[in-house]
Amino acid sequence: MTTGSTSTATTHPGQVAATNTAPRCKTCGGRRARRLTSYGGGQPRADAAAKMAAIRLGNGAHVHFNLSDDCFAVVRAIDTDEVTP
């Protein structure tokens, strides 16, 4: 499960990005993750679509299931210096 919060990590100047934590994710390795896109859990084949999006994005992108939003979120782990507490 992923827990969400807002941080000051940005993807573009002035844009605030939401970051999430998935404590059991081996790919994230305890780091926070930035959501790149998401697919609603009720959509047919949403998991497969999210996995394909992660493959296309590459560079460490992978899928988390976010229980609170009921969606498959494509995320990428971010370095700790990108996040301000």
Side-chain angles (χ1 to χ4, degrees):
M1 184 172 97
T2 303
T3 56
S5 71
T6 303
S7 83
T8 56
T10 56
T11 51
H12 301 290
Q15 178 185 6
V16 176
T19 59
N20 302 295
T21 337
R24 296 184 187 143
C25 179
K26 293 179 183 177
T27 306
C28 288
R31 297 175 292 172
R32 297 189 66 76
R34 178 178 296 129
R35 183 183 291 198
L36 305 172
T37 188
S38 61
Y39 296 84
Q43 298 175 7
R45 301 186 45 79
D47 184 30
K51 286 178 183 175
M52 287 304 298
I55 290 168
R56 277 189 234 107
L57 289 167
N59 196 24
H62 58 285
V63 178
H64 288 176
F65 180 74
N66 189 320
L67 187 59
S68 61
D69 293 340
D70 187 30
C71 72
F72 293 93
V74 180
V75 300
R76 182 176 292 135
I78 56 175
D79 294 326
T80 53
D81 60 346
E82 290 185 58
V83 178
T84 11

